[in-house]
Amino acid sequence: MDPQSRLPLRKVKPFYFGRVQDITSTPSVTTRPTKVRRLLKIDYKSPKDDYTFVHELRSNQGTLVCHRKSRLHLAVIRESFSPTPLQMLEMLAQVQHPNIADILDVYFHDGKLCIVGEHLDVSLLDLEFKRLAPEEWEIATIIAEVIKAMTYLLDTLPTCELYIDSVRLSLQGDVKLGMSSHPYC
């Protein structure tokens, strides 16, 4: 076959949030993508098939694990005791905020619903404020981030209950609301 007679490469349309847009046409009005509903996949197997046990966390905080494929990322597996787990998962799938811990995976095995979430290193309760008092700007920063997350969470899930041990901090300085030892919602 003659290389000169080959057809030129065809243009590929980019995939953007479930919507195909033609890059060659320029719309006169900027259109925003439609809101995409996040889906949570429920695996009907044991989380031990995908995660390696590291150690049990204190006071019913869950189990610290790492994914078998990516040992550098820690996660926490917590068992859900919600009386309506499917409704709870449907509500949690709506939650997307930088100050709220991410849900990584959901498993249903042996009649138990296990939620794998982002690991945040320190609870606000773990900090010893008597030994090392925080500065005013540190307190203001933590409170501002918590209020942002609480406002979003209470607007999204009005029946959600928040507890002091829901406020967690990462070693990178992130302040997030995570699942506590109490029912999350």
Side-chain angles (χ1 to χ4, degrees):
M1 183 173 179
D2 183 26
Q4 301 295 338
S5 67
R6 277 200 241 173
L7 295 174
L9 294 175
R10 52 178 217 185
K11 292 184 180 180
V12 178
K13 296 178 183 177
F15 187 70
Y16 184 69
F17 289 103
R19 196 174 191 190
V20 177
Q21 297 175 342
D22 189 359
I23 58 171
T24 57
S25 65
T26 55
S28 59
V29 178
T30 306
T31 57
R32 292 185 174 214
T34 58
K35 187 174 180 179
V36 176
R37 191 170 172 190
R38 183 175 165 215
L39 297 176
L40 286 177
K41 177 183 77 168
I42 301 174
D43 287 317
Y44 291 93
K45 62 182 181 179
S46 172
K48 293 177 183 176
D49 295 343
D50 293 333
Y51 288 89
T52 303
F53 173 84
V54 176
H55 73 84
E56 194 72 29
L57 298 174
R58 66 176 177 76
S59 68
N60 297 326
Q61 288 291 317
T63 304
L64 186 64
V65 295
C66 63
H67 200 282
R68 292 187 189 276
K69 292 181 183 175
S70 174
R71 294 189 182 268
L72 297 178
H73 298 291
L74 294 174
V76 176
I77 297 177
R78 291 186 180 88
E79 206 173 301
S80 171
F81 298 104
S82 172
T84 55
L86 292 179
Q87 288 83 0
M88 180 197 64
L89 285 175
E90 187 176 343
M91 289 189 296
L92 290 179
Q94 298 172 17
V95 176
Q96 291 179 323
H97 192 274
N99 294 107
I100 297 176
D102 292 329
I103 294 176
L104 306 174
D105 290 311
V106 179
Y107 293 89
F108 188 76
H109 182 69
D110 290 338
K112 298 176 185 176
L113 184 69
C114 297
I115 300 173
V116 181
E118 175 182 6
H119 172 64
L120 296 165
D121 305 285
V122 180
S123 168
L124 198 59
L125 292 176
D126 295 334
L127 299 177
E128 295 183 25
F129 291 118
K130 290 181 182 178
R131 286 183 57 200
L132 182 62
E135 293 186 24
E136 192 174 307
W137 68 268
E138 293 171 314
I139 295 171
T141 302
I142 291 171
I143 290 173
E145 298 304 312
V146 168
I147 288 174
K148 286 179 200 174
M150 287 175 62
T151 303
Y152 171 81
L153 199 56
L154 293 174
D155 284 345
T156 308
L157 308 171
T159 61
C160 187
E161 296 180 15
L162 299 172
Y163 299 90
I164 189 67
D165 63 342
S166 298
V167 180
R168 308 212 35 103
L169 303 130
S170 73
L171 293 179
Q172 290 78 26
D174 298 324
V175 178
K176 295 186 179 189
L177 292 180
M179 290 190 294
S180 66
S181 57
H182 305 285
Y184 191 62
C185 292

